[in-house]
């Protein structure tokens, strides 16, 4: 069971308190670097940054409600060739941590000497909506949390966040517990592993109780599940049948932005970047002559079906695929809906446990007794 500690929030706001927490970790040599979002000089965005000097954390804003890139991708690039010899704290949202766990299973990331600090997440805006929010609001993280505390629903939250059933970390050494806590006064820290406990003990924080946390989590999850079911019902109606599915993917231009932003697309060399589906000009002309017209580029629907087949069991629903689409193809909705059917078939929750084997890499004699759904 997780042990709890209290971080007293000062008068500077929640963000300042978290900045000081991370500074203390560096100054007390509990970690040697921190991977955390830092505000851009314009204050209109954040970028994941690897920080080794405490003073640089004055611009850290882990509560900025925006997700320009999934941290799992960043850590994969950092650790794929070799693990870190120095202890690095990684501050991330639940969907980022879940994606990271899946990449570890796929041998695309390593957690050696990594301290995972997971934050409860109330949701994020798109990059453009956040830019507008930041121009209106000087202290984005604190103002966003004030709105949450006041119970103000925000329709600008990304759809992926509105229907996310895991607003709390499933796997983290330390959880920053915002849900159910009076974060204006004190912030709950949950040490979930011996490594997390070692860091929390080193901070010298007083013990705390997580009273009311689970009830608050249950309420938030319940609201999101209700919204999720509405979205899934609409998605099914819009995509059922080959004609509707083809139509909904018709605006795809084959840019592959969705793949590039997806933390779960793990192939080192994608077949769609090769010449496998490239043909001589006369081939295309011949197909056009038979049908009267063919869409160009070809095979866009095939691309999405293949990608879906590759990563649907590990999809964590971060929604960055849809954010990256220049033509607003509802990639996230479709992939998330299909994942909601496939993952329960294997009793699998991506990112739940780093020791849990990937469904498609293991064989169980009694699985898949029934194929398909009604």
């Amino acid at each position: 069971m997780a042990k709890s500690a209290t971080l007293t929030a000062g008068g500077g706001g929640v963000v300042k308190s978290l900045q000081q927490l991370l500074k203390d970790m560096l100054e007390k040599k509990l970690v040697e670097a921190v991977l955390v979002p830092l505000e851009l000089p314009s204050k209109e965005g954040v970028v994941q940054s690897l920080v080794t000097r405490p003073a640089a954390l004055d611009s850290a804003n882990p509560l900025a409600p925006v997700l320009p890139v999934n941290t799992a991708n960043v850590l994969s690039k950092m650790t794929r060739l070799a693990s870190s010899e120095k202890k690095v704290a990684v501050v991330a949202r639940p969907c980022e941590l879940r994606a990271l766990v899946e990449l570890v299973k796929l041998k695309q990331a390593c957690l050696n000497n990594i301290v995972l600090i997971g934050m409860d997440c109330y949701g994020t805006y798109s990059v453009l909506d956040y830019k507008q929010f930041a121009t209106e609001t000087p202290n984005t993280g604190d103002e966003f949390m004030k709105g949450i505390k006041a119970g103000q629903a925000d329709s600008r939250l990304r759809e992926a966040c509105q229907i996310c059933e895991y607003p709390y970390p499933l796997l983290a050494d330390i959880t920053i517990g915002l849900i159910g806590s009076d974060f204006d006064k004190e912030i709950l820290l949950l040490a979930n592993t011996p490594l997390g406990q070692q860091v929390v003990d080193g901070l010298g924080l007083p013990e705390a109780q997580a009273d009311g946390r689970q009830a608050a989590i249950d309420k938030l999850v319940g609201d999101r599940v209700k919204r999720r079911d509405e979205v899934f019902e609409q998605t099914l109606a819009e995509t059922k049948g080959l004609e509707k599915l083809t139509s909904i993917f018709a605006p795809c231009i084959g840019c592959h932005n969705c793949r590039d932003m997806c933390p779960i697309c793990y192939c080192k060399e994608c077949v769609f970047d090769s010449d496998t589906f490239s043909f001589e000009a006369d081939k295309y002309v011949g197909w056009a002559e038979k049908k009267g017209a063919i869409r160009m580029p070809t095979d866009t629907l095939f691309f999405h079906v293949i990608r879906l087949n590759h990563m649907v069991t590990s999809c964590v629903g971060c929604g960055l695929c849809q954010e990256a689409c220049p033509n607003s193809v509802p990639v996230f909705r479709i992939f998330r809906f299909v994942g909601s059917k496939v993952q329960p078939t294997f009793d699998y929750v991506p990112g739940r446990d780093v020791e849990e084997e990937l469904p498609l890499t293991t064989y169980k004699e009694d699985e898949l007794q029934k194929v398909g759904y009604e």
Side-chain angles (χ1 to χ4, degrees):
M1 185 175 179
K3 295 183 179 180
S4 306
T6 298
L7 173 66
T8 301
V14 185
V15 172
K16 284 291 184 184
S17 299
L18 295 179
Q19 290 173 353
Q20 189 58 51
L21 171 69
L22 300 175
K23 285 182 181 181
D24 289 345
M25 288 184 182
L26 284 178
E27 291 170 348
K28 294 182 178 182
K29 308 297 183 184
L30 301 173
V31 298
E32 293 168 272
V34 178
L35 183 65
V36 64
L38 297 188
E39 285 187 333
L40 297 172
S42 65
K43 303 290 185 180
E44 294 181 352
V46 296
V47 61
Q48 275 290 15
S49 305
L50 190 62
V51 180
T52 57
R53 296 179 181 175
L57 290 168
D58 286 337
S59 61
N61 193 351
L63 293 180
V66 64
L67 190 66
V69 65
N70 193 306
T71 302
N73 280 339
V74 177
L75 201 63
S76 174
K77 290 180 180 179
M78 278 181 56
T79 64
R80 187 164 53 199
L81 296 181
S83 60
S84 173
E85 294 184 2
K86 296 184 177 181
K87 192 175 290 184
V88 179
V90 177
V91 183
R93 297 176 184 273
C95 63
E96 297 178 292
L97 294 176
R98 293 173 62 212
L100 177 59
V101 168
E102 295 302 289
L103 289 178
V104 170
K105 297 178 188 181
L106 292 162
K107 312 300 182 186
Q108 298 295 309
C110 180
L111 296 181
N112 290 347
N113 283 327
I114 300 297
V115 181
L116 298 178
I117 302 177
M119 299 191 310
D120 287 346
C121 180
Y122 283 98
T124 59
Y125 302 141
S126 70
V127 171
L128 291 179
D129 283 343
Y130 178 77
K131 185 175 181 179
Q132 180 181 356
F133 176 69
T135 59
E136 301 168 350
T137 311
N139 301 312
T140 56
D142 286 309
E143 291 301 319
F144 179 75
M145 295 306 294
K146 285 180 182 177
I148 294 298
K149 188 172 183 179
Q152 298 171 356
D154 196 333
S155 60
R156 288 183 296 183
L157 289 180
R158 295 189 305 122
E159 186 172 64
C161 300
Q162 292 181 33
I163 69 172
C164 174
E165 313 99 308
Y166 298 103
Y168 57 93
L170 294 183
L171 188 70
D173 296 301
I174 301 170
T175 295
I176 297 176
L178 301 171
I179 300 176
S181 68
D182 190 1
F183 40 75
D184 278 347
K185 298 179 180 178
E186 53 186 31
I187 300 169
L188 183 69
L189 296 183
L190 300 171
N192 306 306
T193 66
L195 177 59
Q197 188 64 52
Q198 179 183 345
V199 173
V200 172
D201 288 345
L203 292 168
L205 299 173
E207 293 186 5
Q209 297 295 325
D211 298 334
R213 174 172 169 77
Q214 191 58 52
I217 287 175
D218 292 343
K219 183 182 185 307
L220 180 58
V221 171
D223 292 341
R224 291 185 173 184
V225 167
K226 182 179 179 181
R227 172 62 181 149
R228 178 203 66 186
D229 292 344
E230 293 171 354
V231 169
F232 284 174
E233 185 177 352
Q234 182 181 354
T235 303
L236 179 60
E238 292 174 350
T239 60
K240 196 169 187 179
L242 182 59
E243 185 176 345
K244 287 184 177 180
L245 191 63
T246 303
S247 176
I248 209 165
F249 278 115
C252 175
I253 59 174
C255 67
H256 300 168
N257 283 359
C258 56
R259 176 203 65 187
D260 295 341
M261 287 300 290
C262 176
I264 305 300
C265 274
Y266 56 88
C267 295
K268 293 182 178 179
E269 183 178 354
C270 178
V271 66
F272 288 96
D273 287 336
S274 70
D275 289 330
T276 303
F277 300 106
S278 298
F279 304 94
E280 299 83 0
D282 285 344
K283 284 278 190 182
Y284 295 107
V285 174
W287 293 331
E289 287 177 340
K290 288 181 180 180
K291 295 187 174 182
I294 59 170
R295 74 175 312 257
M296 298 290 285
T298 58
D299 300 316
T300 52
L301 178 58
F302 190 48
F303 162 74
H304 290 288
V305 172
I306 291 295
R307 196 174 86 80
L308 180 62
N309 183 64
H310 272 202
M311 48 70 65
V312 69
T313 55
S314 289
C315 176
V316 298
C318 70
L320 292 188
C321 53
Q322 195 160 305
E323 293 294 309
C325 180
N327 284 351
S328 301
V329 177
V331 191
F332 159 74
R333 274 193 170 206
I334 296 169
F335 279 42
R336 182 71 177 78
F337 172 70
V338 176
S340 73
K341 302 297 180 182
V342 174
Q343 292 167 5
T345 300
F346 297 99
D347 188 26
Y348 188 72
V349 176
R352 176 170 55 188
D353 185 351
V354 74
E355 300 297 332
E356 188 174 11
E357 295 178 318
L358 293 165
L360 299 184
T361 64
T362 57
Y363 170 74
K364 296 179 181 179
E365 188 174 351
D366 60 346
E367 71 182 359
L368 297 180
Q369 297 295 312
K370 180 181 178 181
V371 178
Y373 69 93
E374 298 178 357

